[in-house]
Amino acid sequence: MNRIIALASLLAIGSTAAIAGPDLQICHGEYALCAASSTDATGRNIVVNGITFREGVSVCPVLHGPAIADMNLMNGSCEAPTGKVWSLFSNVKNFPQAPTWAGRPEIVRTFTTTASPGGGMSNMWSFPCVKREHLVNGVRLADCYGPLNESPWTSTSVPFGSVVGTAAAVGASNPVGGNIP
């Protein structure tokens, strides 16, 4: 719960008058947790609040329970379309992580983004994911699609040289995370 309160505080600090902040809600049920995932560019673009970003895809474990969402990005509903889940934020401390998808403790770290390939960050929070048919090591996975170098707090571009928080392993390509305002 402390992480959810900290996230809500960061969201409030990071919001500006010109950009309406996230519409926070707790969703219950199935969701993808991308906190420790890397992201590969898809070669396509994605539009977030009228701004175009490069699109990325992350493989994320599907979990069950309460999670925090931005209703502005989810059509105002926690219900995902058939065969899909939303990628949400959670306060779980131990969850399946690549490459084995065995449950491991979350290790939060920071890094500075660069212009090198894979040196950016990604935001998967409250974006749609397509559930994979087959389990891996007993874990349901989902392919989640979201923007590269977009701030989850303000929906604006995150410039190279920004400090980002993530739970992805050192060396992960474009780790899922959030810039530190």
Side-chain angles (χ1 to χ4, degrees):
M1 185 54 89
N2 289 341
R3 288 180 45 201
I4 291 175
I5 293 168
L7 172 66
S9 298
L10 281 173
L11 292 170
I13 293 167
S15 298
T16 65
I19 299 170
D23 178 11
L24 301 178
Q25 180 174 318
I26 302 294
C27 295
H28 299 272
E30 195 174 53
Y31 66 97
L33 180 61
C34 296
S37 295
S38 62
T39 306
D40 294 320
T42 65
R44 297 185 303 259
N45 290 327
I46 185 170
V47 177
V48 181
N49 294 326
I51 302 171
T52 302
F53 296 91
R54 291 186 317 133
E55 181 188 67
V57 60
S58 297
V59 179
C60 309
V62 176
L63 307 178
H64 296 270
I68 193 166
D70 179 356
M71 292 289 104
N72 290 333
L73 297 172
M74 297 170 44
N75 303 319
S77 174
C78 292
E79 295 299 317
T82 302
K84 297 183 178 183
V85 293
W86 294 110
S87 174
L88 303 178
F89 181 81
S90 174
N91 66 348
V92 297
K93 303 277 191 239
N94 190 307
F95 54 92
Q97 297 174 43
T100 64
W101 299 107
R104 297 194 318 231
E106 173 186 60
I107 299 173
V108 178
R109 67 180 180 89
T110 61
F111 70 98
T112 302
T113 60
T114 70
S116 300
M121 54 84 62
S122 61
N123 174 22
M124 295 294 153
W125 182 46
S126 297
F127 286 96
C129 307
V130 178
K131 292 190 285 187
R132 290 184 172 184
E133 184 178 339
H134 301 287
L135 302 181
V136 175
N137 197 20
V139 177
R140 171 82 56 212
L141 300 175
D143 295 315
C144 300
Y145 297 87
L148 294 172
N149 301 310
E150 182 257 352
S151 173
W153 325 127
T154 62
S155 297
T156 57
S157 182
V158 174
F160 296 119
S162 296
V163 176
V164 173
T166 186
V170 172
S173 178
N174 302 308
V176 173
N179 56 308
I180 299 175

